[in-house]
Amino acid sequence: MKALKASIFGFGALMALTMMSCGETQQAPELTASGLNPAKFDTIVNGDTVRLYTLKGDKGMEVCITNYGGRVVSMMIPDKNDSLVDVVLGFDNIAQYMDTEHTPTDYGSSVGRYANRINMGKFVLNGDTIQLKQNDRHPGERNHCLHGGGDTGWMNKVYKAEQMDDQTLKLTIVAEDGENGFPGTVTATTTYKIVNGNTLDITWEATTDKPTIINQTNHNYYNLSGDLENAAYDQVLYVNADSFTESDESYMPTGKILSVEGTPMDFRTPHAVGDSIHSEYYQVKNAHGYDHNWCLNTNGDDTQVCASLYSPKSGIFMEMYTNEPGVQVYSGNFQGVGGEENVVRKLGKKYLQHVSVCLESQKYPDSPNHPEWASPVLNPGETYYSHAAYKFSVK
């Protein structure tokens, strides 16, 4: 009879039947509301434990975070029909996040030590010329430092995790002196917290043992509709800014601050991202969309809305707050191109170009080389503090 079962059902089925006959059953893994299997994030990296942590708000909001890179993996938000929608891009397993050769990505990461670009990876600090890792290459030997070194920056390091309660996760990283060229041993924390049931509140703090620079941010890619089969051109964007920092061909600030008036950079009146994303305006055309720093009107007041995003499809409305002087808006210009269109992400999706929008709080890009802008310098005895909050509602 066993031979007959094996021939009909196969060996796997036979084993399952045998186990059940012995009183044992195989249980399906308990998934998060976003469909993630936490077991797919369990691993060890250089002796450090990596896992998936889940935060839950009292209004249905769920945020899943891995301490590998301090990354937000999923964020479930109730839509206008009271159904939960995952509004951020990412992978559903740790292996793809770690495969920097084939799937390099900053999805959802807590970026450090310095978010955005530093010109040619070089700056002067207290009379000393500092040379950083140059990981952002452009034609004409324009090689910059981007996001603290990218693959060898904090987005691919393991943070020590401490889940304080169902709504709070504190992540800590210690970066050594000289890491990617940055001076000073820095101890930094990223604290994710769901507040008031529907707001993801993020605070960054850091100390150093010698003068250094720091500029942390969160790199969530937002698609508030949850529809990843189409570009997110209908997402309605608002940016509370009268000006932006002009960029050159390598997306590096020229030092000029330009008015948004009369340009596709004007989002002071909310309108769809797709209205002008294919504009011939040189800033937009060069970047293949939006990848610019807006100079906020909020003057560091994190009680004022600095930007917002809205999906007419889902009705989900997101308002952003920060104490930082700038926000980088990136419209997923290089998603779905150059082979990325074949990479499978969460739930089997393949992302298209412009399928998302990032809103990154920050000091202006290349601030170490522009003393007229807000300084990113952190000295011993000081504590770096940065704050951003993303409040969700339905309209």
Side-chain angles (χ1 to χ4, degrees):
M1 186 66 180
K2 286 183 179 180
L4 177 61
K5 287 181 179 178
S7 64
I8 297 175
F9 300 112
F11 182 74
L14 174 60
M15 289 301 295
L17 289 170
T18 302
M19 290 176 66
M20 291 177 64
S21 68
C22 295
E24 297 181 14
T25 60
Q26 290 182 322
Q27 293 184 342
E30 184 174 348
L31 305 181
T32 67
S34 57
L36 298 175
N37 180 355
K40 291 186 177 181
F41 289 83
D42 290 345
T43 191
I44 302 293
V45 178
N46 297 326
D48 296 319
T49 300
V50 174
R51 56 168 295 197
L52 190 72
Y53 298 83
T54 301
L55 305 181
K56 295 183 178 181
D58 57 13
K59 297 182 180 180
M61 182 177 184
E62 179 199 77
V63 183
C64 293
I65 302 163
T66 174
N67 57 318
Y68 181 76
R71 296 168 180 269
V72 175
V73 178
S74 66
M75 186 184 301
M76 299 295 283
I77 304 295
D79 68 4
K80 61 185 177 182
N81 299 315
D82 208 28
S83 298
L84 290 175
V85 175
D86 189 356
V87 299
V88 297
L89 276 56
F91 297 112
D92 58 14
N93 62 87
I94 196 63
Q96 283 184 287
Y97 282 111
M98 293 177 61
D99 185 6
T100 56
E101 180 180 355
H102 300 100
T103 56
T105 175
D106 47 18
Y107 287 153
S109 60
S110 183
V111 178
R113 157 177 335 192
Y114 195 92
N116 220 305
R117 294 174 172 86
I118 296 176
N119 194 6
M120 302 299 286
K122 186 180 294 186
F123 67 98
V124 176
L125 180 60
N126 296 335
D128 295 327
T129 298
I130 308 296
Q131 181 62 64
L132 307 173
K133 177 184 176 181
Q134 295 169 273
N135 64 303
D136 184 42
R137 302 190 178 280
H138 298 268
E141 298 185 356
R142 298 287 291 163
N143 303 328
H144 309 307
C145 181
L146 173 62
H147 290 333
D151 292 349
T152 54
W154 295 0
M155 69 177 69
N156 289 303
K157 302 290 186 182
V158 179
Y159 288 68
K160 177 183 177 182
E162 181 182 4
Q163 183 148 7
M164 317 294 285
D165 51 45
D166 287 345
Q167 291 80 42
T168 311
L169 178 68
K170 183 178 180 180
L171 303 173
T172 304
I173 192 169
V174 178
E176 296 181 359
D177 181 24
E179 179 186 82
N180 287 338
F182 289 95
T185 297
V186 167
T187 300
T189 61
T190 301
T191 302
Y192 289 105
K193 186 172 186 177
I194 297 178
V195 299
N196 301 322
N198 61 358
T199 298
L200 179 63
D201 187 273
I202 312 173
T203 56
W204 297 270
E205 294 184 285
T207 58
T208 183
D209 66 352
K210 66 170 64 172
T212 191
I213 58 171
I214 190 163
N215 185 30
Q216 292 184 257
T217 195
N218 171 263
H219 215 298
N220 279 343
Y221 287 69
Y222 290 100
N223 182 316
L224 301 185
S225 73
D227 175 16
L228 304 181
E229 303 296 331
N230 297 285
Y233 293 143
D234 65 340
Q235 290 198 107
V236 177
L237 176 66
Y238 163 74
V239 184
N240 187 359
D242 297 328
S243 58
F244 69 100
T245 51
E246 181 188 49
S247 297
D248 66 15
E249 292 79 4
S250 64
Y251 317 135
M252 181 60 59
T254 64
K256 295 181 180 179
I257 294 180
L258 303 182
S259 172
V260 301
E261 185 72 33
T263 77
M265 315 300 285
D266 192 349
F267 285 91
R268 293 174 296 182
T269 298
H271 64 88
V273 173
D275 288 350
S276 49
I277 201 168
H278 298 295
S279 169
E280 289 296 309
Y281 181 65
Y282 75 109
Q283 287 289 293
V284 177
K285 185 176 182 179
N286 177 67
H288 307 281
Y290 296 103
D291 190 7
H292 297 81
N293 170 71
W294 270 257
C295 307
L296 297 173
N297 295 332
T298 48
N299 297 313
D301 183 354
D302 58 5
T303 66
Q304 294 186 45
V305 176
C306 69
S308 69
L309 198 63
Y310 168 66
S311 168
K313 289 182 180 178
S314 67
I316 296 175
F317 181 50
M318 181 181 78
E319 296 170 292
M320 178 183 178
Y321 305 80
T322 185
N323 67 326
E324 294 293 352
V327 62
Q328 186 86 5
V329 177
Y330 175 58
S331 54
N333 307 328
F334 295 101
Q335 292 169 336
V337 296
E340 280 210 10
E341 66 272 19
N342 298 316
V343 178
V344 177
R345 276 91 169 184
K346 280 187 296 187
L347 303 180
K349 301 294 184 180
K350 295 181 180 180
Y351 297 157
L352 305 175
Q353 185 183 32
H354 300 147
V355 78
S356 64
V357 173
C358 298
L359 297 173
E360 309 158 54
S361 57
Q362 63 181 4
K363 304 287 191 298
Y364 298 172
D366 199 33
S367 283
N369 292 309
H370 294 274
E372 69 276 19
W373 296 345
S375 174
V377 173
L378 179 68
N379 292 303
E382 300 173 344
T383 299
Y384 167 86
Y385 173 81
S386 183
H387 174 239
Y390 300 84
K391 179 182 177 181
F392 293 88
S393 61
V394 170
K395 71 172 186 178

